[in-house]
Amino acid sequence: MLLHEFRPGRFVAGATALALAVLFAGDAADAWVTPWYDVVPVLCGGLGAAALVTWVAYRIRRRSARTASSENIEAPASTSGSQDIR
C-alpha cells in the first residue's frame, strides 16, 4: 500500500537540488572548482524539466481519470430524485 501518490516533478526538482548540493560540496572539499555562475543553468534547466514532467504527469492523470469516468455509464443509485433512506 502506498502512503502517497508519486509526484515525478517533485522528484526531478529534488534531484536538481541534490545535484547542486553535490556540486558545491565538491567545491567546498577542494575536489574541484565550481564557478558560482554554473548554478543558473543547472537550476533553471532542472526546474524547467520539473515543470515539464509535472505537466506531462498531470495530462496523463487527467486522461486516465476521464476514461475511467466515461466507462461508468450506468444509471445513478437513485433515479427518483429522493435521497431518503426507507
Side-chain angles (χ1 to χ4, degrees):
M1 178 172 121
L2 292 176
L3 296 178
H4 57 85
E5 113 180 75
F6 178 65
R7 302 283 185 160
R10 290 184 183 185
F11 176 76
V12 172
T16 300
L18 187 63
L20 287 173
V22 167
L23 196 67
F24 281 117
D27 186 31
D30 290 328
W32 56 76
V33 176
T34 304
W36 65 269
Y37 50 81
D38 282 350
V39 172
V40 175
V42 173
L43 183 63
C44 290
L47 292 179
L52 179 66
V53 167
T54 299
W55 180 75
V56 169
Y58 170 76
R59 297 296 294 179
I60 290 171
R61 204 175 309 122
R62 185 171 173 168
R63 178 176 292 155
S64 66
R66 193 175 344 159
T67 58
S69 67
S70 68
E71 291 173 357
N72 188 9
I73 55 174
E74 299 172 4
S78 174
T79 56
S80 65
S82 173
Q83 301 300 320
D84 295 335
I85 299 175
R86 297 177 192 192

